[in-house]
């Protein structure tokens, strides 16, 4: 049974090169748009000039107008949908892990020492600045993944 919080074990310093990274895709985010709005904040980099963006080394990278708070991550079972898991950020449900990703999560909990868990949420309006200071503005949908860095138990 999935516990309300993912057990992250505090251990002595560990070499991050020995960690494995697992990425789990979050679905159903459109149902939780109010939660996503609560986690959104303005990205200060959006207001930088093209010259400033180039000087900060963010050439040819997406710079989103909005960025999202992404920690702490918490999980709980979806009682109405067995084998799926709610994903919370700061007590806001942002989506679910489907059966396949829930199974991966459960396997990681039982077979690995979890080093850290984070969530990457991105999407919306963004701009890209090239080396010639040209700015391209686009928009895409919001998506999110969970990133779990872990070490298999010995």
């Amino acid at each position: 049974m999935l516990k309300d919080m993912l057990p992250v074990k505090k251990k002595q310093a560990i070499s991050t090169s020995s960690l494995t990274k697992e990425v789990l895709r979050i679905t159903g985010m459109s149902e939780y748009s109010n939660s996503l709005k609560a986690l959104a904040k303005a990205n200060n980099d959006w207001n930088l000039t093209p010259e400033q963006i180039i000087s900060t080394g963010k050439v040819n990278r997406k710079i989103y107008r909005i960025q999202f708070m992404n920690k702490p991550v918490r999980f709980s079972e979806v009682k109405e949908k067995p084998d799926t898991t709610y994903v919370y950020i700061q007590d806001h449900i942002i989506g679910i892990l489907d059966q396949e990703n829930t199974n991966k999560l459960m396997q990681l909990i039982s077979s690995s020492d979890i080093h850290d868990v984070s969530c990457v949420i991105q999407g919306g309006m963004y701009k890209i600045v090239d080396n010639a200071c040209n700015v391209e503005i686009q928009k895409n949908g919001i998506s999110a993944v969970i990133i779990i860095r872990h070490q298999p138990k010995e």
Side-chain angles (χ1 to χ4, degrees):
M1 191 143 204
L2 185 66
K3 299 199 175 179
D4 196 36
M5 301 231 2
L6 183 68
V8 176
K9 302 201 173 173
K10 297 288 184 193
K11 294 200 168 217
Q12 294 177 344
I14 185 170
S15 167
T16 56
S17 64
S18 67
L19 296 176
T20 302
K21 180 170 79 170
E22 186 73 37
V23 178
L24 307 176
R25 188 170 161 263
I26 299 172
T27 61
M29 294 179 65
S30 61
E31 295 179 43
Y32 305 103
S33 58
N34 286 339
S35 290
L36 291 168
K37 287 177 186 173
L39 296 171
K41 64 178 188 171
N43 181 356
N44 293 332
D45 288 349
W46 180 261
N47 295 321
L48 295 177
T49 66
E51 293 80 8
Q52 290 170 317
I53 290 171
I54 291 169
S55 72
T56 60
K58 297 178 182 175
V59 175
N60 295 320
R61 284 206 228 153
K62 292 179 181 176
I63 299 171
Y64 286 94
R65 188 176 62 105
I66 301 293
Q67 57 189 20
F68 295 91
M69 292 176 264
N70 60 5
K71 283 188 177 183
V73 179
R74 187 169 63 86
F75 305 97
S76 73
E77 294 176 318
V78 179
K79 291 183 174 52
E80 309 81 38
K81 296 179 184 179
D83 299 321
T84 58
T85 303
Y86 283 124
V87 178
Y88 293 81
I89 304 291
Q90 297 184 354
D91 295 325
H92 296 278
I93 299 174
I94 64 160
I96 62 171
L97 296 178
D98 62 14
Q99 183 176 2
E100 178 184 347
N101 284 303
T102 294
N103 290 340
K104 287 180 185 177
L105 176 65
M106 296 301 291
Q107 184 174 355
L108 285 172
I109 290 171
S110 65
S111 66
S112 296
D113 289 328
I114 307 299
H115 185 265
D116 61 46
V117 179
S118 62
C119 180
V120 176
I121 307 170
Q122 59 186 24
M125 180 103 32
Y126 67 89
K127 65 182 175 181
I128 298 174
V129 176
D130 66 17
N131 282 318
C133 291
N134 296 313
V135 179
E136 177 184 345
I137 296 179
Q138 297 285 328
K139 184 177 183 177
N140 60 13
I142 306 269
S143 64
V145 295
I146 296 293
I147 300 171
I148 302 173
R149 293 190 318 151
H150 64 96
Q151 184 173 39
K153 290 181 181 173
E154 297 176 11

